[in-house]
């Protein structure tokens, strides 16, 4: 009945091949006169999700997580992963060949300083290392008295015999009614920003920024509608778009040719040389630009300006049309979620469901809207102890029954042409324990504190982050991830530059969409996360206010599990917020669902008992 078409549950790890592939790579390094090489989990754009042809780290080590770095020397090798993936790496990687190193204990650069022999020639791919990343590698090599070598052609590619071809998914032109701003107007705004910063040109290395600037979408990577591409936008003159011509229909090529020269990516490096000639100042996005670009600009006589791309803030602040699309997407998604939650409440107590069953069901309900383009990330569905693994991804090997007396955490999202969704709910099967109620309610109180926040313009996410943690802190506990991330409009579910976290230094601005997702995780027992998406809006006028104020408007429409709420821990204001939110969910979603789902929704959103 239910089917997952956009995500797989197969365990793609192949630890048994680690020794063999490591030997192939070492032989290739020796042929090139190199004593070591770095293999990051990255493509040339630093994308979160990469095409199969760019999964070099997974091919070499068996590790399939979204972040990690392999360091290969003649006699030893290591894979460095952050805390999200320490257990996963240990399970997927051949630990006889690769040492699994937690990032919390040492960075890749520190490992190199300790292990790289003096005089060694250590290679890196300048397409896969950013300018900032190269600076760290150079310091490590200097400390080890080794030599850093930029390779021409990645040695992993040379020994990966069945490497998949580069993707060529067709480019789609974004409807102006959804984009809300023409490509011509966006390019004009970018040029104005370049003039204000006294820059001669901007290199767009982030395909999300290219997609937004030229009002295009694609399908080159999973979960995000990206056309892998580059662009050079000069302060004066015509822009250049570097994209594989096989992706362009005649209609798309004709439309894009109004705004830019369409050039094959193989000519990008020469175009950078030309743009940099005569001492031009070129902005490179410090987060995504390959180190190769900086080297070419300097070699051509230009000057590199590193910093954030001016497109990032433009893209983050959604216009009226984009916000209208996001609202429509979340309403549609809310109906699919209601159907899922009603189904889950009926089926889970029977004892026959597994994590994979739940993932497949939720995707099916979303597909039945007739508008689903993709899921926005692989669904996180953790029953019991698996819910305590923050970025758990169920596979056929880890699939677990959903049992009575357990919490079930499901974090999921959808890509619709009019918007991107991301929502997490934690559901009880049977009766919750007193500890579950306490922790759930403290997480909910933090969620409500963010949702109700009113703050002056210029406030950063780091300043708001403690709002979500205060009630957990009062009980001596916390959560180790950020409280919220930016979300794109039919783009990445994880979008910068703003975020609500201890590291969120960018000021929040009207039109930004951010997640609100505090949590609590008890290792080996259960996990709790409660996530809605929020729009930054103007706050109602406050008498005597000395600064303009901002607030949040909630996009997501899905009930919280009232059965796990400890009413005595909520203030009157918090309980009123929850009742008002549930009334809104009931009013908006109820007319869109079938009778049985509507009846379930009425009960699930009933006011809290005093």
């Amino acid at each position: 009945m239910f089917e997952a078409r956009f995500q797989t549950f197969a365990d793609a790890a192949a630890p048994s091949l680690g020794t063999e592939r490591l030997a192939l790579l070492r032989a290739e390094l020796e042929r090139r006169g190199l004593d070591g090489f770095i293999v990051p989990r990255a493509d040339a754009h630093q994308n979160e999700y990469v095409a199969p042809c760019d999964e070099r780290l997974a091919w070499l080590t068996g590790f399939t997580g979204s972040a990690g770095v392999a360091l290969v020397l003649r006699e030893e090798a290591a894979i460095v992963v952050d805390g999200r993936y320490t257990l996963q790496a240990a399970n997927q990687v051949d630990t006889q060949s690769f040492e699994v190193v937690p990032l919390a204990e040492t960075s890749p650069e520190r490992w190199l300083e300790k292990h790289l022999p003096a005089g060694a020639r250590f290679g890196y791919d300048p397409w896969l290392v950013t300018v900032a990343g190269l600076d760290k590698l150079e310091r490590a090599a200097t400390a080890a008295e080794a030599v850093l070598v930029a390779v021409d052609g990645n040695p992993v590619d040379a020994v990966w015999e069945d490497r998949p071809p580069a993707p060529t998914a067709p480019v789609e032109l974004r409807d102006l009614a959804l984009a809300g701003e023409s490509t011509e107007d966006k390019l004009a705004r970018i040029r104005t920003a370049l003039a204000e910063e006294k820059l001669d040109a901007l290199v767009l290395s982030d395909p999300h920024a290219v997609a937004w600037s030229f009002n295009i979408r694609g399908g080159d990577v999973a979960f995000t509608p990206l056309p892998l591409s580059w662009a050079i936008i000069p302060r004066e003159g015509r822009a250049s778009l570097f994209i594989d011509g096989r992706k362009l229909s005649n209609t798309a090529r004709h439309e894009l040719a109004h705004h830019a020269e369409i050039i094959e990516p193989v000519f990008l490096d020469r175009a950078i040389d030309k743009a940099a000639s005569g001492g031009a100042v070129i902005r490179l996005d410090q987060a995504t630009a390959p180190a190769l670009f900086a080297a070419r600009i300097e070699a051509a006589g230009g000057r590199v300006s590193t910093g954030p791309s001016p497109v990032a803030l433009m893209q983050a602040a959604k216009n009226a049309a984009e916000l209208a699309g996001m609202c429509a997407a979340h309403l549609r998604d809310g109906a699919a979620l209601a159907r899922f939650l009603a189904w889950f409440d009926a089926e889970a107590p029977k004892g026959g469901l597994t994590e994979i069953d739940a993932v497949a069901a939720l995707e099916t309900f979303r597909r039945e809207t007739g508008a689903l383009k993709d899921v926005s990330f692989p669904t996180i569905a953790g029953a019991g102890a698996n819910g305590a693994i923050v970025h758990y991804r169920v596979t056929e090997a880890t699939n677990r029954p959903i049992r009575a007396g357990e919490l079930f955490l499901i974090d999921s999202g959808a890509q619709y042409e009019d918007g991107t969704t991301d929502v997490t709910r934690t559901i009880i099967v049977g009766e919750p324990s007193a500890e579950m109620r306490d922790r759930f309610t403290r997480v909910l109180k933090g969620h409500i504190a963010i949702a109700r926040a009113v703050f002056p313009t210029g406030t950063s996410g780091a300043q708001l982050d403690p709002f979500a943690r205060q009630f957990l802190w009062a009980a001596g506990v916390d959560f180790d991830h950020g409280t919220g991330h930016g979300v794109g409009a039919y783009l990445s579910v994880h979008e910068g530059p703003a975020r609500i976290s201890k590291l969120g230094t960018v000021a929040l601005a009207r039109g930004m969409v951010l997640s609100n997702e505090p949590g609590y995780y008890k290792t080996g027992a259960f996990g709790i996360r409660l996530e809605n998406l929020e729009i930054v809006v103007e706050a109602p006028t406050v008498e005597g206010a000395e600064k303009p104020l901002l607030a949040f408007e909630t996009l997501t429409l899905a009930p919280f599990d009232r059965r796990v709420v400890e009413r005595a821990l909520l203030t009157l204001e918090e309980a009123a917020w929850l009742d008002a939110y549930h009334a809104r969910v009931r009013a908006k979603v109820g007319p869109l669902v079938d009778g049985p789902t509507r009846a379930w929704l009425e009960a699930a959103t009933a006011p809290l008992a005093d």
Side-chain angles (χ1 to χ4, degrees), residues 78-97:
I79 179 168
V80 182
V81 295
D82 64 37
R84 296 173 296 170
Y85 294 120
T86 305
L87 294 177
Q88 179 178 333
N91 289 331
Q92 291 186 320
V93 172
D94 178 0
T95 54
Q96 298 299 310
S97 299

Side-chain angles (χ1 to χ4, degrees), residues 224-238:
T224 307
L226 284 183
L228 296 181
S229 51
W230 317 80
I232 298 176
I233 302 175
R235 186 175 65 196
E236 298 177 1
R238 192 163 166 78

